[in-house]
Amino acid sequence: MHTNITYVGYVLTWLLLLGANHLFANGLKSENEADLDPVLFSMIADKSVVKVGEEFSIDIQCTMRDFSDLRLFPVSLNGEFVLKVVSPDGFVQTAGNYYHAVSGKLLRPGESITYKLTGKFVSKPPAGKFMLLRGTKYSAEIDRFLYRGELSIAVHDVETAARQAATHAFNQCLEAELMSGANGPITSDPNASNGQTRGAENQYNHFVDYTVNVPSAGPYQVTLRYYSSASPIVSVTVNGGNAQSISLPNSGSWNIAYTDYTFAVSLNAGASTLKIAGTGGGSCRQDKICVTGEGQMCPVLSKVRLHWRTADFNRLNGAKIQGSNNGSGWTDIYTIGVNATGSWQEFTFPNATPYQHVRYAASPTGYGELREIEFYSGATKLSGTTFGSDPNVANMGWQYAIDGTVNASWHGQYSGIGAHAGPSNFVGLSITGCATTCITPTIVQTAGTNVCPATSQQVVLTASGYSDNVSWLLNGSGVGSGTSLTTVNAGTYTAFSGNGTCTSGQSQAFTVGQAANCAAPALVPKISSSGFPEILTLSIVADPANPGSWLLSDIGTVSLPAGYEWSYFIGSKWLKTGTNLTNEPWQSSSPGRVVKMATKIGLDTLNRWPCPPEGCNYYYQNDAVTQLAPGARGGLTTFIFN
């Protein structure tokens, strides 16, 4: 059925403007374009004032606007979006269906999606401001996002502020761009602490030498603020000594969203050179460091008391007591060399090194099997945030080994999926008043063997051995949070933990395989609608060289008028040619649309057609697009795969 030519003109203009997502390669456009976003975004909190530790929720509302409200659509935006919420320091997500880089798609005016972000502040932030960023699936790949608003929450915590002031007797912050020893360019950034950063977006191998002057020798905490394009790996050295390698989490954006990461170093009294250098992964544009210490000395672990269960006494022999100052690398402090007795046993050992985290790790044949364990510095029993390994036998979790009673015992899983004997069974403490780093989790597969999306065959991954909230990534992109992750997608998974004041390094990669002979039913291309098929006759065939891709060709017979060339609009692409479209790649099985016109040779924009009511002038050309059939200046075909 022929469509009115004016309507076709509107449709074509809409397609051209809405589909030009490739413009994201140069960043999103101006604030004027932001005002033309087809989707309206808002953030509403259920509380405007909270205390540290008080839970609250934020609703992120996404609503498709009425098309009639817009005089012109923006070239880069449509109803499909990727969202990021940049959270204040000290905020920890505890629930909700929002996760890092969540994506959605709206199709009809008035349609809406609501994401809920529930959490709490574990410390008072400098400012309780949440920033909402919006991109598309294309822009997210290159970390380009638009500002879509912010929400401020007032946070009160007088006691913590006073305690931190007393604890951190030494506090020095240093700007990366002001350091003389560095090899990265200085770049301006209005979001940076001093308006500038050091390093380039797509280069990881830059360094900054920070000159730190501390009043006394001892352990100090360094908080690095940085921006990254992917997950960076940096080395940290003090005065040219042994390097400490740290896997930093991706900040989420190279120029808008920063991340603070805290790690421990040992400094001598006086001046020291602290070098932070990129060694791999994504770029790391350094903003600043803050060094704190003096009064935050970690205790020295010198004794443990433990109570074994009533069987398998030989499995205690060979267990180790270990310490860590970064939450990922563990140092042996003491090895137990006797069998268990089934009652309380005490082990005292020499140790001069303070550690932020301490733990018991089972012997090569052990599964944990403790009723209780206690850690001591001299006669002082240590306390802190507990952590332990999973999975465990049902109703015999690691929590029983460190709950203050001997009524129940801990036993790691010893049969089935996820069974693990040896030091991968552990329980420990992140010491109160000392720990500034978070424990890096380990990924354990606890259900399923492999995945198959076509049949919904799943595996379950469990985060083991962490002390804070866990975030999951698939091939470097966020896919969820929580203790476990159920997935049907093959690929490389990593995880990290965080509590708002620190973020752990990323876990070792865990690969989920796809089941053999897992193939989705063969897809068949179908023409769903066609306007003026005598102008555009579309052929769609499978691409033999690229499984899952297709080749588009125009087999129509309409003649090309002299002085004109064919203009094909294929998704976001404008292709001009003197011959019919032939074997144009369509590299997905997503629905698509092709528009065909005969445009004047050399025409750079359809805005020159038709002439405005006041008539044509040097800019407008009423013959920019010629008529190809009675009442028709173009053909339009949409297609799907099923």
Side-chain angles (χ1 to χ4, degrees), residues 607-623:
N607 287 339
R608 296 184 184 275
W609 167 78
C611 297
E614 59 269 22
C616 291
N617 56 27
Y618 69 94
Y619 183 83
Y620 295 96
Q621 301 174 20
N622 60 1
D623 59 349

Side-chain angles (χ1 to χ4, degrees), residues 147-148 263 333 361 364 380 437 440 454 486 532 568:
Y147 172 83
R148 278 297 174 270
F263 55 89
I333 300 173
T380 302
T437 57
T440 300
T486 301
F532 303 104
Y568 290 95

Side-chain angles (χ1 to χ4, degrees), residues 162-519:
R163 185 171 61 253
Q164 288 179 341
T167 301
H168 295 92
F170 177 81
N171 189 335
Q172 181 183 23
C173 294
L174 301 169
E175 295 288 341
E177 69 275 7
L178 300 181
M179 299 296 103
S180 58
N183 71 340
I186 295 175
T187 52
S188 297
D189 193 323
N191 298 295
S193 65
N194 194 41
Q196 293 180 315
T197 63
R198 198 82 190 230
E201 176 187 359
N202 294 316
Q203 299 182 45
Y204 69 83
N205 56 345
H206 289 146
F207 72 87
V208 179
D209 287 340
Y210 299 91
T211 301
V212 184
N213 200 315
V214 298
S216 59
Y220 288 82
Q221 288 69 50
V222 179
T223 299
L224 168 67
R225 177 168 292 186
Y226 64 94
Y227 302 80
S228 64
S229 59
S231 299
I233 302 173
V234 298
S235 68
V236 177
T237 56
V238 177
N239 297 326
N242 293 331
Q244 175 184 352
S245 181
I246 300 176
S247 296
L248 299 174
N250 185 6
S251 75
S253 176
W254 71 276
N255 70 334
I256 295 178
Y258 64 77
T259 288
D260 288 330
Y261 185 88
T262 301
F263 55 89
V265 296
S266 181
L267 300 175
N268 295 323
S272 294
T273 298
L274 179 67
K275 179 189 287 289
I276 301 177
T279 59
S283 57
C284 180
R285 294 172 62 234
Q286 299 184 44
D287 188 353
K288 69 175 182 177
I289 65 168
C290 289
V291 182
T292 58
E294 191 185 48
Q296 235 185 0
M297 291 285 292
C298 292
V300 174
L301 179 68
S302 60
K303 181 176 71 175
V304 295
R305 293 181 71 237
L306 60 84
H307 195 299
W308 192 260
R309 69 189 187 101
T310 57
D312 297 315
F313 294 158
N314 62 304
R315 293 182 182 173
L316 174 63
N317 198 328
K320 296 180 182 293
I321 308 300
Q322 299 176 323
S324 174
N325 276 321
N326 61 13
S328 58
W330 294 89
T331 301
D332 292 345
I333 300 173
Y334 178 70
T335 300
I336 297 173
V338 298
N339 292 344
T341 62
S343 59
W344 281 104
Q345 293 172 266
E346 185 173 294
F347 302 93
T348 302
F349 38 83
N351 173 40
T353 303
Y355 291 103
Q356 297 183 34
H357 316 279
V358 294
R359 74 179 188 181
Y360 163 94
S363 72
T365 59
Y367 291 88
E369 303 168 277
L370 297 175
R371 285 184 175 273
E372 194 67 21
I373 187 168
E374 300 171 345
F375 299 89
Y376 288 82
S377 179
T380 302
K381 182 180 176 180
L382 301 179
S383 61
T385 302
T386 61
F387 60 88
S389 57
D390 289 293
N392 300 296
V393 174
N395 300 318
M396 298 182 74
W398 58 264
Q399 293 84 352
Y400 288 121
I402 202 161
D403 63 356
T405 72
V406 294
N407 295 331
S409 63
W410 157 47
H411 203 304
Q413 189 165 320
Y414 56 87
S415 63
I417 298 173
H420 54 293
S424 56
N425 296 285
F426 56 83
V427 65
L429 288 174
S430 294
I431 300 173
T432 298
C434 165
T436 60
T437 57
C438 289
I439 301 294
T440 300
T442 301
I443 299 177
V444 181
Q445 188 167 324
T446 54
T449 54
N450 45 37
V451 295
C452 181
T455 60
S456 299
Q457 183 173 319
Q458 303 173 334
V459 301
V460 178
L461 304 178
T462 297
S464 173
Y466 62 93
S467 54
D468 298 286
N469 301 287
V470 175
S471 298
W472 296 85
L473 299 96
L474 169 58
N475 300 326
S477 299
V479 290
S481 60
T483 301
S484 295
L485 178 72
T486 301
T487 181
V488 297
N489 298 311
T492 300
Y493 287 82
T494 54
F496 62 89
S497 68
N499 62 16
T501 59
C502 69
T503 303
S504 76
Q506 289 197 34
S507 67
Q508 289 188 343
F510 188 96
T511 301
V512 173
Q514 184 166 288
N517 302 318
C518 174

Side-chain angles (χ1 to χ4, degrees), residues 578-625:
T579 60
N580 277 6
L581 183 73
T582 303
N583 291 337
E584 174 67 21
W586 183 262
Q587 296 177 325
S588 76
S589 294
S590 300
R593 182 174 302 198
V594 177
V595 177
K596 177 185 180 182
M597 290 181 176
T599 56
K600 201 167 185 178
I601 293 176
L603 190 72
D604 59 343
T605 172
L606 291 185
N607 287 339
R608 296 184 184 275
W609 167 78
C611 297
E614 59 269 22
C616 291
N617 56 27
Y618 69 94
Y619 183 83
Y620 295 96
Q621 301 174 20
N622 60 1
D623 59 349
V625 179

